[in-house]
Amino acid sequence: LDALLQPLAGFSVVHELRVSTEESRLDDTTAAQPLLFAVQVAVTLLLREQGIVPQAVTGHSVGEIAAAWACGALGLEQAARVICARSQAQGLTRGRGRMAAVALSADALASLLAELDLADRVTIAGYNSPGNLTLSGDLEGLLQMQAHLQPQGVFFRLLDLDYAFHGPCMDPIRDQVLHTLR
């Protein structure tokens, strides 16, 4: 897997998994996504070696690509190309937004976004449970939400990511990803 990913990613996943915390590039999505994918594939292969095979697969974000490989929808080389193209394109969006976790339902969030006039700046990036969402948007809008919610005792946490995945901040890279994978 390292030999397959290295020419596409531009680095050794084995090396990156072994570096110290100080040298780690996990805050850089161009490194983090191929690493996550490699670990997901490795765990799947380890389970297969133990005779454990899935009856169904699912995934979110990077996990979608690993799931597509695990069920045979993508070959390993295809999945490696997808993860590297995706991570390299998304790396270009660093600093253009952030993400947050919030303990609200989708309906409550919609009301809050309307009340704070943030519907064009903050969106739902993930539905984690009926009362827990992941948000994506610009930092100022997320901080405005945080300032509004925390005095009310509503859980809100900015994620330690310098990216706004799964939201409109990713729209500018769509054509690049499609072109690369064509």
Side-chain angles (χ1 to χ4, degrees):
L1 187 56
D2 185 53
L4 177 63
L5 286 169
Q6 191 166 357
L8 298 169
F11 63 90
S12 164
V13 293
V14 171
H15 172 78
E16 289 294 328
L17 288 170
R18 292 180 173 164
V19 299
S20 66
T21 303
E22 296 78 29
E23 295 176 84
S24 173
R25 296 188 309 144
L26 288 177
D27 65 333
D28 178 354
T29 201
T30 64
Q33 288 187 32
L35 289 170
L36 286 167
F37 172 77
V39 169
Q40 292 167 341
V41 169
V43 168
T44 302
L45 291 172
L46 179 65
L47 291 170
R48 282 183 185 170
E49 288 176 6
Q50 303 300 313
I52 301 168
V53 293
Q55 291 183 339
V57 297
T58 188
H60 172 69
S61 195
V62 172
E64 292 172 308
I65 301 165
W69 164 77
C71 73
L74 291 175
L76 189 56
E77 289 180 22
Q78 291 171 313
R81 285 186 54 229
V82 171
I83 194 62
C84 290
R86 178 186 193 267
S87 66
Q88 289 163 6
Q90 287 184 327
L92 301 173
T93 69
R94 187 175 201 158
R96 295 186 190 162
R98 293 282 301 271
M99 298 184 76
V102 64
L104 289 175
S105 68
D107 289 341
L109 177 69
S111 296
L112 179 64
L113 291 175
E115 177 185 340
L116 299 177
D117 194 29
L118 292 174
D120 61 336
R121 297 171 56 199
V122 176
T123 60
I124 297 174
Y127 296 85
N128 304 322
S129 74
N132 291 286
L133 305 169
T134 300
L135 307 178
S136 178
D138 70 64
L139 179 58
E140 184 181 303
L142 291 168
L143 290 173
Q144 186 177 343
M145 287 186 65
Q146 183 178 33
H148 182 83
L149 292 171
Q150 282 189 329
Q152 299 174 36
V154 176
F155 174 83
F156 185 99
R157 178 177 296 148
L158 282 175
L159 302 183
D160 192 20
L161 294 168
D162 201 13
Y163 303 92
F165 298 123
H166 309 294
C169 288
M170 295 294 116
D171 291 348
I173 64 166
R174 180 183 182 275
D175 290 341
Q176 177 183 341
V177 173
L178 292 174
H179 176 75
T180 301
L181 294 176
R182 187 175 310 141

